[in-house]
Amino acid sequence: MAAGRSRIPATKHSVERFTLDNGLRVVLAPDRSAPVVGVAVVYDVGIRSEPEGRTGFAHLFEHLMFQGSENLEKLAHFRHVQGAGGTFNGSTHLDYTDYWETLPSNALERALFLEADRMRGPRLTEENLRNQVDVVKEEIRVNVLNRPYGGFPWLRLPPVLFGTFANAHDGYGSFDDLESASIADATDFFDRYYACGNAVLAVGGDLDVAEATALVERHFGDVPARPAPARPDFAEPDLTGERRESYTDKLAPLPAVAAAWRVPDPIGDFAGYLPYVVLAEVLTDGDASRLVERLVLRDRTVTSVGGYLGLMGDPFDVRDPTALVLQAHLPPGGGVEKVLQTIDEELDRLATDGLAADELARTQARMATHLLRETDAVLGRTLQMAVLEQQRGDPGLLGELPRLVGEVTEEQVRAAAATLRPQRRAAVEVVPGGGVR
């Protein structure tokens, strides 16, 4: 394929953007094909924003935002959304926290009222705080402490790969930090990060732009203005030597390994970042991919292997610093050293010999299909636009991603592979503590 030419066309989405006087950025994406709307609010606060001594606080606060708000009692949000036939949730990421609803389009105003009400202020009471601390602790028990491979690799790799507290700490949080959280801490966190100027509201689906604009202004226009806090610089130097750690997982029946390499800034150097997104798919997506074919099907040194950009798995919703991650589970008696050596060999082979005929085009077509499928539903489209507006000021980039992926050249993928050297690698090994070795 000629450099700069893509076989994959862009997808056009209708997008309207404006900013309210209080600083809230708004994205409207009308699509009248089904009587459904998606509403998403994204706040520019995530795991990296947590202060020392308050690990897990971003996630804890996400829970608190569902415990009632300025005009609504506890559980009212649940009742109003589900009573309209809708669904809702929220999630905490490294760089943002999101809240969303999907509802029949005639319930749009209900969703806007609910989000505006908790943007004014959640119900921060001692009872709610203590209750949600217990809920989060139970999540940690279920998802990390009492589960084989719990927290692998997203909690285990960062302290090996990074050196600063913001990038390396446990985003789920320690029990001590969670238990010592106070109402004053929660109030300060809300005042600092949950400001209109630090948020994006996106509404997509069956809407009339003029009517939706009026509803947004009615419900959010009088939310008190507070500016966005200055975002810290989370940058830190790349590795200059390999870092390795291992730990015993008493519940894991078999060994596993994850490796990570730093990649270019996903926002400041998007053109330099995209080849790594494609490279991860070339290496691990499908039976014909490099590492699946070699490690799983031929050598049988692993039972599964996966690769992705960003420690939480989504390449287009993360800021710098981030990484390309490869993870593999091994059979009984499997050797981690052999797996890492084989990965190095395959990266060298790709960088030196290039890709097989149609290998890149096949991978890019599959990636474009995934991107289109993920944003086909109104919620997926609305959430992704909210994040793209928050981090890049460009929700329309959503429709350009398939085309941009298709423009990545073989030379760029080869050059990206050449940078993934052992001296830039961080790796963590799971030593099985129970079951077959």
Side-chain angles (χ1 to χ4, degrees), residues 1 31 35 54-55 85 141 161 177 187 194 265 275 310 318 339-340 381 384 404 411-412 424 435:
M1 184 189 308
D31 175 1
R54 288 292 173 265
T55 59
R141 292 187 187 99
L161 178 64
D177 284 356
T187 301
Y194 278 71
D265 184 340
V318 67
V339 172
L340 293 177
R381 193 161 60 249
Q384 192 64 53
L404 293 171
E411 291 73 20
Q412 289 173 317
R424 297 184 58 245

Side-chain angles (χ1 to χ4, degrees), residues 42 96 98 200 316-318 382-393:
V42 170
Y96 67 92
D98 62 44
V200 169
F316 301 119
D317 72 353
V318 67
T382 304
L383 262 174
Q384 192 64 53
M385 282 188 175
V387 175
L388 290 172
E389 171 64 33
Q390 179 68 71
Q391 297 186 346
R392 301 169 181 271

Side-chain angles (χ1 to χ4, degrees), residues 81-100:
V81 175
Q82 292 173 336
T87 58
F88 65 93
N89 212 331
S91 57
T92 309
H93 302 253
L94 288 175
D95 294 303
Y96 67 92
T97 305
D98 62 44
Y99 303 88
W100 56 263

Side-chain angles (χ1 to χ4, degrees), residues 343-359:
I343 290 172
D344 291 338
E345 291 173 2
E346 288 300 312
L347 289 169
D348 285 343
R349 186 165 71 88
L350 196 159
T352 302
D353 300 337
L355 287 85
D358 295 328
E359 184 178 5

Side-chain angles (χ1 to χ4, degrees), residues 29-34 36-38 105 203-208 378 381-382:
D31 175 1
R32 312 306 292 269
S33 60
V36 178
V37 290
S105 53
V203 185
D206 184 23
L207 61 91
D208 175 85
V378 65
R381 193 161 60 249
T382 304

Side-chain angles (χ1 to χ4, degrees), residues 145 167 237 287 329 431:
L145 301 179
N167 295 316
D287 288 348
H329 290 261
V431 179

Side-chain angles (χ1 to χ4, degrees), residues 50-124:
E50 295 169 348
E52 293 193 50
R54 288 292 173 265
T55 59
F57 205 87
H59 177 228
L60 171 63
F61 203 86
E62 174 214 321
H63 280 249
L64 291 173
M65 287 287 281
F66 286 97
Q67 302 307 302
S69 54
E70 185 173 82
N71 294 295
L72 294 172
E73 73 280 8
K74 188 172 182 174
L75 301 182
H77 193 112
F78 299 47
R79 188 174 67 253
H80 284 298
V81 175
Q82 292 173 336
T87 58
F88 65 93
N89 212 331
S91 57
T92 309
H93 302 253
L94 288 175
D95 294 303
Y96 67 92
T97 305
D98 62 44
Y99 303 88
W100 56 263
E101 294 85 18
T102 304
L103 305 104
S105 53
N106 61 7
L108 172 59
E109 184 166 13
R110 180 177 302 203
L112 295 176
F113 165 76
L114 292 171
E115 289 297 349
D117 204 55
R118 63 178 168 187
M119 186 179 285
R120 290 187 183 87
R123 221 169 257 253
L124 300 177

Side-chain angles (χ1 to χ4, degrees), residues 100-366:
W100 56 263
E101 294 85 18
T102 304
L103 305 104
S105 53
N106 61 7
L108 172 59
E109 184 166 13
R110 180 177 302 203
L112 295 176
F113 165 76
L114 292 171
E115 289 297 349
D117 204 55
R118 63 178 168 187
M119 186 179 285
R120 290 187 183 87
R123 221 169 257 253
L124 300 177
T125 67
E126 188 66 28
E127 177 186 2
N128 284 344
L129 177 59
R130 300 276 69 87
N131 173 267
Q132 292 310 303
V133 165
D134 289 341
V135 170
V136 172
K137 287 168 60 179
E138 185 61 20
E139 273 195 36
I140 295 171
R141 292 187 187 99
V142 171
N143 294 333
V144 179
L145 301 179
N146 297 328
R147 173 180 291 185
Y149 311 103
F152 172 79
W154 77 277
L155 294 179
R156 293 293 187 166
L157 257 179
V160 185
L161 178 64
F162 297 117
T164 63
F165 171 81
N167 295 316
H169 74 275
D170 182 342
Y172 243 140
S174 75
F175 282 13
D176 287 343
D177 284 356
L178 290 167
E179 289 167 351
S180 65
S182 68
I183 291 296
D185 294 325
T187 301
D188 179 69
F189 197 80
F190 176 79
D191 289 342
R192 180 183 299 271
Y193 295 111
Y194 278 71
C196 294
N198 209 38
V200 169
L201 165 68
V203 185
D206 184 23
L207 61 91
D208 175 85
V209 170
E211 291 176 2
T213 299
L215 289 174
V216 168
E217 291 173 342
R218 178 186 306 167
H219 291 284
F220 288 89
D222 63 351
V223 177
R226 300 198 312 280
R231 188 173 185 274
D233 182 1
F234 295 125
E236 56 179 277
D238 194 2
L239 300 186
T240 56
E242 185 180 19
R243 294 182 186 174
R244 296 275 294 274
E245 286 191 11
S246 65
Y247 70 97
T248 299
D249 183 338
K250 62 184 176 61
L251 299 177
L254 297 168
V257 64
W261 298 259
R262 294 276 297 279
V263 296
D265 184 340
I267 297 175
D269 184 13
F270 192 44
Y273 174 76
L274 275 173
Y276 290 86
V277 180
V278 176
L279 171 62
E281 302 294 316
V282 168
L283 292 173
T284 66
D285 188 25
D287 288 348
S289 63
R290 293 294 179 110
L291 295 182
V292 173
E293 192 279 331
R294 173 76 187 275
L295 292 169
V296 179
L297 301 177
R298 192 198 330 169
D299 295 355
R300 300 188 179 181
T301 50
V302 307
T303 57
S304 65
V305 61
Y308 47 90
L309 271 292
L311 290 156
M312 299 181 80
D314 191 327
F316 301 119
D317 72 353
V318 67
R319 291 177 168 131
D320 190 59
T322 191
L324 185 152
V325 179
L326 299 175
Q327 66 179 85
H329 290 261
L330 283 62
V336 165
E337 291 296 338
K338 176 61 175 174
V339 172
L340 293 177
Q341 179 183 339
T342 303
I343 290 172
D344 291 338
E345 291 173 2
E346 288 300 312
L347 289 169
D348 285 343
R349 186 165 71 88
L350 196 159
T352 302
D353 300 337
L355 287 85
D358 295 328
E359 184 178 5
L360 179 59
R362 181 180 67 243
T363 301
Q364 290 168 318
R366 191 164 54 243

